[in-house]
Coordinates of all heavy atoms in Angstrom, one line a residue:
M24 N 8.3 15.7 -9.9 CA 9.4 14.7 -9.7 C 8.9 13.4 -10.1 O 7.9 12.8 -9.7 CB 9.7 14.8 -8.2 CG 11.0 14.1 -7.9 SD 11.5 14.1 -6.1 CE 11.3 15.7 -5.5
T25 N 9.7 12.8 -11.0 CA 9.3 11.5 -11.5 C 9.7 10.4 -10.5 O 10.6 10.6 -9.6 CB 10.0 11.2 -12.9 OG1 11.4 11.1 -12.7 CG2 9.7 12.3 -13.9
A26 N 9.2 9.2 -10.7 CA 9.4 8.1 -9.8 C 10.9 7.6 -9.9 O 11.5 7.3 -8.9 CB 8.5 6.9 -10.1
S27 N 11.5 7.7 -11.1 CA 12.8 7.2 -11.2 C 13.8 8.2 -10.6 O 14.8 7.8 -10.0 CB 13.2 7.0 -12.7 OG 13.1 8.3 -13.4
F28 N 13.5 9.5 -10.6 CA 14.3 10.5 -10.0 C 14.3 10.3 -8.5 O 15.3 10.3 -7.8 CB 13.9 11.9 -10.3 CG 14.7 13.0 -9.7 CD1 15.9 13.4 -10.2 CD2 14.2 13.6 -8.5 CE1 16.6 14.4 -9.6 CE2 14.9 14.6 -7.9 CZ 16.1 15.0 -8.4
R29 N 13.1 10.1 -8.0 CA 12.8 9.9 -6.5 C 13.5 8.6 -6.1 O 14.1 8.6 -5.0 CB 11.3 9.9 -6.2 CG 11.0 10.0 -4.8 CD 9.5 10.2 -4.5 NE 8.7 9.6 -5.6 CZ 7.8 10.3 -6.2 NH1 7.6 11.6 -6.0 NH2 7.0 9.8 -7.2
R30 N 13.4 7.6 -6.9 CA 14.1 6.3 -6.5 C 15.6 6.4 -6.5 O 16.2 5.8 -5.6 CB 13.6 5.2 -7.5 CG 14.2 3.9 -7.1 CD 13.6 2.8 -7.9 NE 14.1 1.5 -7.5 CZ 14.2 0.5 -8.2 NH1 13.7 0.5 -9.4 NH2 14.7 -0.6 -7.7
L31 N 16.2 7.2 -7.4 CA 17.6 7.3 -7.4 C 18.1 8.3 -6.4 O 19.1 8.0 -5.7 CB 18.0 7.7 -8.8 CG 19.5 8.0 -9.0 CD1 20.3 6.7 -8.9 CD2 19.8 8.6 -10.4
W32 N 17.5 9.4 -6.2 CA 18.0 10.5 -5.4 C 17.3 10.7 -4.1 O 17.7 11.5 -3.3 CB 18.0 11.8 -6.2 CG 19.0 11.8 -7.3 CD1 18.7 11.6 -8.6 CD2 20.4 11.9 -7.2 NE1 19.9 11.7 -9.3 CE2 20.9 11.8 -8.5 CE3 21.3 12.1 -6.1 CZ2 22.3 11.9 -8.7 CZ3 22.6 12.2 -6.4 CH2 23.1 12.1 -7.7
G33 N 16.3 9.9 -3.8 CA 15.5 10.1 -2.6 C 16.3 9.9 -1.3 O 16.3 10.8 -0.4
M34 N 17.0 8.8 -1.2 CA 17.7 8.6 0.1 C 18.9 9.5 0.2 O 19.1 10.0 1.3 CB 18.2 7.1 0.1 CG 18.8 6.7 1.4 SD 17.8 7.0 2.9 CE 16.6 5.8 2.7
P35 N 19.7 9.8 -0.9 CA 20.8 10.7 -0.7 C 20.3 12.1 -0.3 O 21.0 12.8 0.5 CB 21.5 10.8 -2.0 CG 21.2 9.4 -2.6 CD 19.8 9.1 -2.2
L36 N 19.2 12.6 -0.8 CA 18.7 13.9 -0.5 C 18.2 13.9 1.0 O 18.4 14.8 1.7 CB 17.6 14.3 -1.4 CG 18.0 14.7 -2.8 CD1 16.8 14.9 -3.7 CD2 18.9 15.9 -2.8
L37 N 17.6 12.8 1.4 CA 17.1 12.7 2.8 C 18.3 12.7 3.8 O 18.2 13.3 4.8 CB 16.2 11.4 3.0 CG 15.7 11.1 4.4 CD1 14.7 12.2 4.7 CD2 15.1 9.7 4.4
L38 N 19.3 11.9 3.5 CA 20.5 11.9 4.3 C 21.2 13.2 4.4 O 21.7 13.6 5.4 CB 21.4 10.7 3.9 CG 20.9 9.3 4.1 CD1 21.9 8.3 3.5 CD2 20.6 9.0 5.5
G39 N 21.2 13.9 3.2 CA 21.8 15.2 3.2 C 21.1 16.2 4.0 O 21.6 17.0 4.7
A40 N 19.7 16.1 3.9 CA 18.9 17.0 4.7 C 19.0 16.8 6.2 O 19.1 17.7 7.0 CB 17.4 16.9 4.3
A41 N 19.1 15.5 6.6 CA 19.3 15.1 8.0 C 20.7 15.6 8.5 O 20.8 16.1 9.6 CB 19.3 13.6 8.2
T42 N 21.7 15.6 7.6 CA 23.0 16.1 8.0 C 23.0 17.6 8.2 O 23.5 18.1 9.2 CB 24.1 15.7 6.9 OG1 24.1 14.3 6.8 CG2 25.4 16.2 7.3
V43 N 22.4 18.3 7.3 CA 22.3 19.8 7.4 C 21.5 20.1 8.7 O 21.9 21.0 9.4 CB 21.7 20.4 6.1 CG1 21.4 21.9 6.4 CG2 22.7 20.2 5.0
F44 N 20.4 19.5 8.9 CA 19.6 19.7 10.1 C 20.4 19.5 11.4 O 20.4 20.3 12.3 CB 18.3 18.9 10.1 CG 17.6 18.9 11.4 CD1 16.8 20.0 11.6 CD2 17.6 17.9 12.3 CE1 16.1 20.1 12.8 CE2 16.9 18.0 13.5 CZ 16.1 19.1 13.8
G45 N 21.1 18.4 11.4 CA 21.9 18.0 12.6 C 23.0 19.1 12.8 O 23.3 19.4 14.0
L46 N 23.7 19.5 11.8 CA 24.7 20.5 11.9 C 24.2 21.9 12.4 O 24.7 22.5 13.3 CB 25.5 20.8 10.6 CG 26.4 19.6 10.2 CD1 26.9 19.8 8.8 CD2 27.5 19.4 11.1
V47 N 23.1 22.3 11.8 CA 22.4 23.6 12.3 C 21.9 23.5 13.7 O 22.1 24.4 14.5 CB 21.3 24.0 11.3 CG1 20.6 25.2 11.8 CG2 22.0 24.3 9.9
A48 N 21.2 22.4 14.0 CA 20.6 22.2 15.3 C 21.7 22.1 16.4 O 21.6 22.7 17.5 CB 19.8 20.9 15.4
G49 N 22.9 21.5 16.1 CA 24.0 21.4 17.0 C 24.6 22.7 17.2 O 25.1 23.0 18.3
L50 N 24.6 23.6 16.2 CA 25.3 24.9 16.4 C 24.4 25.9 17.1 O 24.9 26.8 17.8 CB 25.7 25.4 15.0 CG 26.9 24.8 14.3 CD1 27.0 25.3 12.9 CD2 28.1 25.0 15.1
L51 N 23.1 25.9 16.8 CA 22.3 26.9 17.3 C 21.6 26.7 18.6 O 21.2 27.6 19.3 CB 21.2 27.2 16.2 CG 21.7 27.7 14.9 CD1 20.5 27.9 14.0 CD2 22.5 29.0 15.0
E52 N 21.4 25.5 19.0 CA 20.7 25.2 20.3 C 21.5 24.3 21.2 O 22.5 23.7 20.8 CB 19.3 24.5 19.9 CG 18.4 25.2 19.0 CD 17.8 26.5 19.7 OE1 17.7 26.5 20.9 OE2 17.5 27.4 19.0
D53 N 21.1 24.3 22.5 CA 21.7 23.5 23.5 C 20.7 22.6 24.2 O 19.5 22.7 23.9 CB 22.4 24.4 24.6 CG 23.6 25.0 24.1 OD1 24.3 24.4 23.2 OD2 24.0 26.1 24.6
G54 N 21.2 21.7 25.0 CA 20.3 20.8 25.8 C 19.9 19.6 24.9 O 20.7 18.9 24.3
V55 N 18.6 19.4 24.9 CA 18.0 18.3 24.1 C 18.3 18.4 22.7 O 18.4 17.4 22.0 CB 16.5 18.2 24.4 CG1 15.7 19.3 23.7 CG2 16.0 16.8 24.0
W56 N 18.5 19.6 22.1 CA 18.8 19.8 20.7 C 20.2 19.2 20.4 O 20.4 18.8 19.2 CB 18.7 21.2 20.3 CG 17.3 21.7 20.2 CD1 16.6 22.4 21.1 CD2 16.5 21.5 19.1 NE1 15.3 22.6 20.6 CE2 15.2 22.0 19.4 CE3 16.6 20.8 17.9 CZ2 14.2 22.0 18.5 CZ3 15.6 20.8 17.0 CH2 14.3 21.4 17.3
D57 N 21.1 19.1 21.3 CA 22.3 18.5 21.1 C 22.2 17.0 20.9 O 22.8 16.4 20.0 CB 23.3 18.7 22.2 CG 23.8 20.1 22.3 OD1 23.9 20.8 21.2 OD2 24.2 20.6 23.4
V58 N 21.2 16.4 21.6 CA 20.9 14.9 21.4 C 20.3 14.7 20.1 O 20.6 13.8 19.3 CB 20.1 14.4 22.6 CG1 19.7 13.0 22.3 CG2 20.8 14.6 23.9
I59 N 19.3 15.6 19.7 CA 18.7 15.5 18.4 C 19.7 15.7 17.3 O 19.6 14.9 16.3 CB 17.5 16.5 18.3 CG1 16.4 16.1 19.3 CG2 17.0 16.6 16.9 CD1 15.4 17.2 19.5
A60 N 20.6 16.6 17.4 CA 21.6 16.8 16.4 C 22.5 15.6 16.3 O 22.9 15.2 15.1 CB 22.4 18.1 16.8
A61 N 22.9 15.0 17.4 CA 23.8 13.8 17.3 C 23.0 12.7 16.6 O 23.7 11.9 15.8 CB 24.2 13.4 18.7
A62 N 21.7 12.5 16.9 CA 21.0 11.5 16.2 C 20.9 11.7 14.7 O 21.0 10.8 13.9 CB 19.6 11.4 16.8
A63 N 20.7 13.0 14.4 CA 20.6 13.3 12.9 C 21.9 13.1 12.2 O 21.9 12.7 11.1 CB 20.1 14.8 12.8
L64 N 23.0 13.4 12.9 CA 24.3 13.2 12.3 C 24.7 11.7 12.3 O 25.5 11.3 11.5 CB 25.4 14.1 13.0 CG 25.2 15.6 12.8 CD1 26.2 16.3 13.7 CD2 25.4 15.9 11.4
A65 N 24.2 11.0 13.2 CA 24.5 9.5 13.2 C 23.7 8.8 12.2 O 24.1 7.7 11.8 CB 24.2 9.0 14.6
L66 N 22.6 9.3 11.7 CA 21.8 8.6 10.7 C 22.5 8.2 9.4 O 22.5 7.1 9.0 CB 20.5 9.4 10.4 CG 19.6 8.8 9.4 CD1 19.0 7.5 10.0 CD2 18.5 9.8 9.1
P67 N 23.3 9.1 8.8 CA 24.0 8.7 7.6 C 25.1 7.7 7.9 O 25.4 6.8 7.1 CB 24.7 10.0 7.1 CG 23.8 11.1 7.6 CD 23.3 10.6 8.9
V68 N 25.7 7.8 9.0 CA 26.7 6.8 9.4 C 26.1 5.4 9.6 O 26.6 4.4 9.2 CB 27.5 7.2 10.7 CG1 28.4 6.2 11.2 CG2 28.2 8.6 10.5
L69 N 25.0 5.4 10.3 CA 24.3 4.1 10.5 C 23.8 3.5 9.2 O 23.9 2.3 9.0 CB 23.1 4.3 11.4 CG 23.5 4.6 12.9 CD1 22.2 4.9 13.7 CD2 24.3 3.5 13.5
V70 N 23.3 4.3 8.3 CA 22.8 3.8 7.0 C 24.0 3.3 6.2 O 24.0 2.2 5.6 CB 22.1 4.9 6.2 CG1 21.8 4.4 4.7 CG2 20.8 5.2 6.9
G71 N 25.1 4.0 6.2 CA 26.3 3.5 5.5 C 26.9 2.2 6.1 O 27.3 1.3 5.4
A72 N 26.9 2.1 7.4 CA 27.3 0.9 8.1 C 26.4 -0.3 7.8 O 26.8 -1.4 7.6 CB 27.4 1.1 9.6
W73 N 25.1 0.0 7.7 CA 24.1 -1.0 7.3 C 24.4 -1.6 6.0 O 24.5 -2.9 5.8 CB 22.7 -0.5 7.3 CG 21.7 -1.4 6.8 CD1 21.2 -1.4 5.5 CD2 21.0 -2.4 7.5 NE1 20.2 -2.4 5.4 CE2 20.1 -3.1 6.6 CE3 21.1 -2.9 8.8 CZ2 19.3 -4.1 7.0 CZ3 20.3 -4.0 9.2 CH2 19.4 -4.6 8.3
Y74 N 24.7 -0.8 5.0 CA 25.0 -1.3 3.6 C 26.4 -1.8 3.5 O 26.6 -2.7 2.7 CB 24.7 -0.2 2.6 CG 23.3 0.0 2.3 CD1 22.5 1.0 2.9 CD2 22.6 -0.9 1.5 CE1 21.2 1.1 2.6 CE2 21.3 -0.8 1.2 CZ 20.5 0.2 1.8 OH 19.2 0.4 1.5
A75 N 27.3 -1.4 4.3 CA 28.7 -1.9 4.3 C 28.8 -3.3 4.9 O 29.5 -4.1 4.4 CB 29.6 -1.0 5.0
F76 N 28.0 -3.6 5.9 CA 28.1 -4.9 6.6 C 27.0 -5.9 6.3 O 27.0 -7.0 6.9 CB 28.3 -4.6 8.1 CG 29.5 -3.9 8.5 CD1 29.4 -2.6 9.0 CD2 30.7 -4.4 8.2 CE1 30.5 -1.9 9.3 CE2 31.9 -3.7 8.5 CZ 31.8 -2.4 9.1
R77 N 26.1 -5.6 5.5 CA 25.0 -6.5 5.2 C 25.6 -7.6 4.3 O 26.5 -7.4 3.5 CB 23.8 -5.8 4.6 CG 24.0 -5.4 3.1 CD 22.8 -4.8 2.5 NE 23.1 -4.4 1.2 CZ 22.3 -4.0 0.3 NH1 21.0 -3.9 0.7 NH2 22.6 -3.6 -0.9
P78 N 25.0 -8.8 4.3 CA 25.4 -9.9 3.5 C 25.2 -9.6 2.0 O 24.2 -8.9 1.7 CB 24.6 -11.1 3.9 CG 23.9 -10.7 5.1 CD 23.9 -9.2 5.2
A79 N 26.1 -10.0 1.2 CA 26.0 -9.8 -0.3 C 24.9 -10.6 -0.8 O 24.7 -11.8 -0.4 CB 27.3 -10.1 -1.0
R80 N 24.1 -10.0 -1.8 CA 23.1 -10.8 -2.4 C 23.7 -11.7 -3.4 O 24.7 -11.4 -4.1 CB 22.1 -9.9 -3.1 CG 21.3 -9.1 -2.1 CD 20.2 -8.3 -2.8 NE 20.8 -7.3 -3.7 CZ 20.1 -6.4 -4.4 NH1 18.8 -6.4 -4.2 NH2 20.7 -5.5 -5.1
P81 N 23.1 -12.9 -3.6 CA 23.7 -13.8 -4.7 C 23.5 -13.2 -6.0 O 22.4 -12.6 -6.3 CB 22.9 -15.1 -4.5 CG 21.7 -14.8 -3.7 CD 22.0 -13.5 -2.9
V82 N 24.4 -13.5 -6.9 CA 24.3 -12.9 -8.3 C 23.4 -13.8 -9.1 O 23.5 -15.1 -9.1 CB 25.7 -12.9 -8.9 CG1 25.6 -12.4 -10.4 CG2 26.6 -12.0 -8.1
D83 N 22.5 -13.2 -9.8 CA 21.5 -13.9 -10.6 C 22.2 -14.2 -12.0 O 22.4 -13.2 -12.7 CB 20.2 -13.2 -10.8 CG 19.2 -13.9 -11.5 OD1 19.3 -15.1 -11.8 OD2 18.1 -13.3 -11.9
P84 N 22.5 -15.4 -12.4 CA 23.1 -15.6 -13.7 C 22.3 -15.3 -14.9 O 22.8 -15.1 -16.0 CB 23.5 -17.1 -13.7 CG 22.6 -17.7 -12.6 CD 22.2 -16.6 -11.7
A85 N 21.0 -15.1 -14.7 CA 20.1 -14.8 -15.8 C 20.2 -13.3 -16.2 O 19.7 -12.9 -17.3 CB 18.6 -15.1 -15.4
R86 N 20.8 -12.5 -15.4 CA 20.9 -11.1 -15.7 C 22.0 -10.9 -16.6 O 22.9 -10.7 -16.8 CB 21.0 -10.3 -14.4 CG 19.7 -10.2 -13.7 CD 19.8 -9.3 -12.6 NE 18.5 -8.5 -12.5 CZ 18.4 -7.5 -11.8 NH1 19.4 -7.0 -11.1 NH2 17.2 -6.8 -11.7

């Protein structure tokens, strides 16, 4: 795996794996696993909210 592939697809793959884990854990187990599943499913939502509500970076006119 090259560095550019990992830089481009690393976070989407991690968030996808967390989502799949959360769905499977929520379906198969009860008790504390429901809390773990909820946390795993909340992770992509929190990351999306972080990027949606963060301040915009100033545009560099040299680019």
